[in-house]
Amino acid sequence: MALHLVGETIDAKRAHQRAQAGELIQLVRGVYIDDDAQAEAAIMAHAVRIAHYLYPSAYLSSASAVLLAPTPDGRLFISGRRNQRTRLRTLEIIQNEAPAHPSTALASVGDDLGEMRVDVSSPRQRFLEAFRLRSEHASAVTPDMRAQMAARLVEAHGTGQAASDAVWALARENGWYREGEAAERFLLTDMGGAKPPVNKAALDLLVAWHGEPLGRLTHDGFEWRWKALKRTGPAMIRETTPGKLPPFIEALLPEGWLAQVLHQRDERDALRRGRRYMSNIAIVQTRKNLAALPPDVLITSLADWLDAGRFTGVYAGPAREEIEQTFGQNLARLVARAETPRISGVQVKAPMNLTGDGALVPAIDLPFTHILKPAGTVGFETLPVVEWFCLELGRAAGFDAPDAALVEMPDGMPPALVVERFDIRRGPRDLWRLALEDFCSILDLPASAKYDGTIERMARGLRPLSTDPAADLDILYRRAVFAWLIADGDMHLKNLALLKTAEPGARTFTTVRFAPLYDAVTTRVFPGLGGDRMALKLNGKDDRLTRQDFLALARTIGLPVGEAEAALRSVAERLLDRTKTLDIPAFAAQSAAARTARDKVIAIVAERCAAIGVSG
């Protein structure tokens, strides 16, 4: 049996014991699956049963009342006492507030645990639900579903007018007057056959993943709509707020510097201009555009051109002498081309390709395999050196981290950092599919709210999605400890993510795990940031954290205190040991500013480790 429900198929004590023994995985309170089960398949197969267990007073509504199942993109719609969302791996249970006088009927739903009777919206109510204003429940009803509902009502009541009168009776009872008017127009005007004039400002974009179309992203000049195509792989994109850009898509868009230099007025402009994005996503207007884009596949590994932190290949990217402009403006001209991949974030970054002969070239019409981060200005010239140092400290602390190297730049520019992408295929024979979803997208927050979360909230979002929640909660805890010990004040929700992988042809993700370490930087060594605090609070604090704060965090997220104590000490001891032997590459150490930044990082680590009771 893959699914276990406390009080129905297993008692609470037995479930807890088996979960502690590693035999079961807890998804949410009272819901468990076998450790060896195909988790996502089991969840989707029992979606209605899980929703009925969690929300026994709610009923299936909208598209789910028609399908008696989740929609193809993994959303199950219910109506109950309040508006709320519950996400379990690829299943998202979306509840809206039911009307005061709902009209429901009984339906039978069967799964591996047998048949059950559940309440669903009646034909009249689900038809009205299809016309609700700015409602995700309404947007989930496809045109075909709406036409079928209308035909069913006309058949049941004899004429369109009679069907309209029946629908209006329910609409008046619940105060759904606008919905009743829209439903009446549809029923009385040849089932909505009249088409409105075309808005030339509208967008109709094809979204693809690893070259495979996922759906259409449209904008009618007022709001966004996402329509998934027939599902052949894992559910990737969710429309969580009607009319708004799906969070996963928004997370792909450039921010800050790049958005400014590209002169993007809004997200419509950004999506119209770009084609290639992180997570192996392409957003184009036609399939012909899609076929012309190169797949992002790693052919040459940075490890082959790496010596003690120094890039031994040849940098062949933008240089100052090419045009009489700043490096940043030159780089902006490069990324302005539609073929150039877009990278989210505010730091200056360039998409690059590492060729077989060790040349690091712009990834305009080549696979995007590496990210180049040039030095900043006005006191931030050592940013690449500090990030390389922190990535090496993270590797020593036990985190997975991508290969990275410092690059000697032309014209006397400070060293840049090149980082190998970990979210792409490793060679032409690799057919696994990968996607990276940051925690802004996971928690359904806009990029502007990336500093608004907490570690505890991240844990709540992480647990039901991870394929190994116990291990990933431990990683989250350690990442919080690491960020504090190195004084990383920029570990926000967009710098933490889940890496999802799917086997070739699989309809669900095979693994969903915490992504490797990236964008880790000691921010306190830079001008104006000497008092920088943690980007995300834990135990209600973002500064002056103590050992007790981290133990309180462990208790809140469900990590055993003994394991938390061991993790806290392990991360600190490993960091201290590595700071005694780690140094920046010799060519970078020629800069007095780089040496000073290195010494400041080491001093901060020593001071904060001592504050939690670990000293060298």
Side-chain angles (χ1 to χ4, degrees):
M1 181 183 296
L3 180 73
H4 303 269
L5 304 175
V6 171
E8 292 189 8
T9 64
I10 192 172
D11 64 84
K13 183 177 180 181
R14 178 63 175 158
H16 179 72
Q17 290 174 340
R18 293 187 63 187
Q20 291 293 100
E23 298 176 6
L24 299 181
I25 296 174
Q26 184 181 24
L27 298 176
V28 291
R29 186 179 182 87
V31 182
Y32 296 80
I33 56 172
D34 291 336
D35 184 47
D36 58 352
Q38 293 292 322
E40 294 187 2
I43 292 169
M44 296 303 292
H46 299 89
V48 176
R49 187 176 296 274
I50 292 172
H52 186 62
Y53 175 82
L54 295 175
Y55 310 108
S57 299
Y59 56 87
L60 293 181
S61 56
S62 179
S64 295
V66 179
L67 301 171
L68 299 181
T71 58
D73 60 359
R75 294 179 294 169
L76 185 75
F77 294 94
I78 61 175
S79 296
R81 287 179 290 184
R82 63 179 67 88
N83 295 315
Q84 66 184 64
R85 317 174 76 93
T86 303
R87 192 170 170 197
L88 307 175
R89 305 285 172 89
T90 53
L91 172 67
E92 188 163 24
I93 302 171
I94 303 169
Q95 180 177 191
N96 72 353
E97 186 175 352
H101 304 285
S103 172
T104 61
L106 278 175
S108 296
V109 177
D111 55 27
D112 292 341
L113 296 179
E115 288 193 1
M116 59 181 172
R117 301 274 280 173
V118 296
D119 286 324
V120 302
S121 293
S122 69
R124 287 188 303 157
Q125 179 160 311
R126 72 183 71 150
F127 190 60
L128 285 170
E129 289 168 348
F131 295 96
R132 298 231 65 188
L133 298 177
R134 298 189 67 82
S135 164
E136 189 173 356
H137 279 58
S139 66
V141 177
T142 66
D144 286 344
M145 283 185 186
R146 190 177 293 183
Q148 290 169 9
M149 291 180 193
R152 160 77 169 73
L153 289 170
V154 170
E155 182 181 3
H157 296 278
T159 65
Q161 184 61 61
S164 175
D165 292 343
V167 170
W168 255 115
L170 181 60
R172 280 191 292 269
E173 192 174 1
N174 288 292
W176 287 6
Y177 299 109
R178 291 188 177 181
E179 290 84 349
E181 291 172 355
E184 181 181 50
R185 283 195 300 271
F186 193 94
L187 287 166
L188 299 182
T189 56
D190 195 24
M191 303 299 188
K195 294 184 178 180
V198 175
N199 179 3
K200 297 296 180 67
L203 290 179
D204 186 355
L205 302 171
L206 177 67
V207 180
W209 180 48
H210 285 288
E212 178 183 329
L214 294 178
R216 308 293 310 196
L217 183 65
T218 60
H219 193 280
D220 60 6
F222 176 67
E223 59 186 7
W224 291 102
R225 284 288 181 263
W226 166 253
K227 182 180 180 181
L229 299 178
K230 184 177 180 182
R231 186 175 165 190
T232 58
M236 287 272 295
I237 299 171
R238 301 166 292 117
E239 184 182 60
T240 57
T241 304
K244 300 295 184 182
L245 196 64
F248 184 84
I249 300 294
E250 183 185 359
L252 300 174
L253 300 182
E255 304 169 68
W257 168 85
L258 185 55
Q260 291 176 7
V261 298
L262 290 176
H263 304 295
Q264 294 173 352
R265 296 187 299 271
D266 54 23
E267 55 200 20
R268 294 176 68 255
D269 200 28
L271 288 167
R272 185 190 290 112
R273 292 181 174 191
R275 292 181 183 173
R276 300 168 62 192
Y277 298 86
M278 299 288 285
S279 287
N280 307 286
I281 293 291
I283 303 178
V284 295
Q285 293 187 351
T286 68
R287 288 178 182 260
K288 184 178 179 181
N289 297 144
L290 182 61
L293 299 178
D296 292 334
V297 179
L298 184 70
I299 302 299
T300 304
S301 174
L302 183 58
D304 298 333
W305 300 92
L306 178 61
D307 180 24
R310 175 178 173 271
F311 176 60
T312 59
V314 178
Y315 172 74
R320 279 178 175 158
E321 76 274 7
E322 293 181 16
I323 51 176
E324 294 179 359
Q325 293 177 306
T326 67
F327 179 83
Q329 290 171 322
N330 190 9
L331 188 58
R333 177 173 292 185
L334 164 71
V335 298
R337 297 177 59 174
E339 297 85 356
T340 303
R342 291 341 191 211
I343 309 176
S344 64
V346 299
Q347 186 181 355
V348 178
K349 304 173 187 175
M352 307 296 282
N353 174 266
L354 182 58
T355 66
D357 57 1
L360 195 60
V361 300
I364 299 174
D365 52 3
L366 296 171
F368 170 26
T369 60
H370 293 78
I371 298 172
L372 182 79
K373 299 183 177 183
T377 58
V378 195
F380 287 82
E381 291 83 358
T382 61
L383 181 57
V385 174
V386 172
E387 183 170 349
W388 176 86
F389 198 79
C390 291
L391 284 175
E392 291 302 309
L393 289 179
R395 205 185 314 274
F399 300 112
D400 287 336
D403 283 337
L406 291 173
V407 182
E408 291 187 74
M409 299 293 283
D411 303 326
M413 288 189 289
L417 179 71
V418 61
V419 182
E420 189 163 280
R421 289 183 63 186
F422 53 77
D423 63 331
I424 56 175
R425 292 170 171 167
R426 324 297 284 186
R429 295 185 180 180
D430 182 1
L431 299 179
W432 283 73
R433 295 173 292 173
L434 303 95
L436 190 69
E437 184 174 12
D438 67 42
F439 273 84
C440 270
S441 173
I442 290 167
L443 299 179
D444 191 20
L445 293 172
S448 58
K450 62 187 178 183
Y451 293 103
D452 295 347
T454 65
I455 301 297
E456 291 86 350
R457 185 178 178 186
M458 284 184 61
R460 291 195 296 272
L462 169 66
R463 185 187 294 276
L465 300 182
S466 170
T467 51
D468 193 344
D472 279 339
L473 285 172
D474 178 68
I475 292 174
L476 173 61
Y477 177 79
R478 290 170 181 263
R479 288 288 298 273
V481 171
F482 176 70
W484 170 249
L485 294 181
I486 69 167
D488 182 356
D490 206 37
M491 191 189 76
H492 51 66
L493 295 176
K494 288 190 68 63
N495 283 342
L496 296 157
L498 292 181
L499 182 61
K500 304 177 177 183
T501 61
E503 295 181 59
R507 288 178 57 84
T508 58
F509 285 108
T510 307
T511 64
V512 179
R513 296 298 313 277
F514 217 104
L517 181 71
Y518 65 94
D519 287 357
V521 176
T522 300
T523 53
R524 286 204 172 198
V525 303
F526 297 106
L529 298 178
D532 205 21
R533 299 166 176 262
M534 288 277 283
L536 304 174
K537 289 185 177 181
L538 62 89
N539 196 34
K541 298 168 63 178
D542 58 9
D543 199 12
R544 302 182 185 277
L545 299 178
T546 66
R547 187 184 198 88
Q548 292 307 313
D549 290 316
F550 287 104
L551 297 183
L553 169 65
R555 287 189 290 269
T556 301
I557 68 177
L559 190 66
V561 174
E563 294 181 15
E565 287 267 17
L568 187 64
R569 176 166 290 276
S570 172
V571 172
E573 289 177 345
R574 290 184 178 193
L575 280 179
L576 281 177
D577 289 344
R578 191 65 178 114
T579 56
K580 297 173 184 176
T581 59
L582 178 63
D583 202 356
I584 55 180
F587 82 92
Q590 294 176 6
S591 163
R595 296 194 302 272
T596 299
R598 171 204 60 195
D599 294 343
K600 286 182 178 179
V601 174
I602 293 173
I604 288 172
V605 170
E607 177 187 352
R608 294 197 168 185
C609 285
I612 62 170
V614 179
S615 61

